[in-house]
Amino acid sequence: LKIDGTELTQIISDTELDCISPAASPDGRHIAYVKQKPGKSESTRDVFVFALESGLSQQLTTNISRDDMPQWSETGDALFFRSTRGVSWNIWKVSTKFLEE
């Protein structure tokens, strides 16, 4: 995207779910993001990781809870996210080593 708003490029889309909360990995090769039902703030949310090179997404969380706000570790070897699993909101961490395969 240029500063004047031209050359805008859509990177991730889904015809049935909203794609929100993008977070680029430190190396710029991946984008973590959240999918949720449109207009349903209380619905199940899951974290996905999109590989810019291949254009493929991988679902990172599959719990029936609300998982959101993905943030990469400084080195990119882990992803932190907020989740309601366990009843109340807590912070969780998952390794991203699988992305290197």
Side-chain angles (χ1 to χ4, degrees):
L1 172 66
K2 288 187 174 183
I3 199 155
D4 66 0
T6 61
E7 296 187 25
L8 181 65
T9 303
Q10 184 174 10
I11 298 171
I12 301 168
S13 67
D14 189 306
T15 58
E16 297 178 20
L17 300 171
D18 288 336
C19 299
I20 61 172
S21 303
S25 63
D27 64 8
R29 295 175 52 216
H30 298 92
I31 299 173
Y33 65 101
V34 175
K35 284 188 179 185
Q36 73 173 20
K37 290 182 182 177
K40 306 283 187 189
S41 63
E42 297 299 319
S43 69
T44 299
R45 297 177 185 169
D46 283 303
V47 177
F48 289 74
V49 175
F50 179 81
L52 288 166
E53 187 175 306
S54 69
L56 299 175
S57 286
Q58 287 184 273
Q59 188 169 353
L60 192 63
T61 63
T62 57
N63 196 286
I64 61 169
S65 62
R66 291 171 56 200
D67 301 329
D68 62 16
M69 299 181 67
Q71 295 292 315
W72 294 88
S73 66
E74 192 172 291
T75 59
D77 64 344
L79 194 61
F80 301 92
F81 61 94
R82 180 177 81 152
S83 179
T84 58
R85 63 187 73 198
V87 182
S88 60
W89 285 107
N90 289 289
I91 306 298
W92 294 76
K93 175 184 173 184
V94 63
S95 171
T96 57
K97 296 207 183 284
F98 69 93
L99 297 174
E100 298 170 8
E101 299 172 356

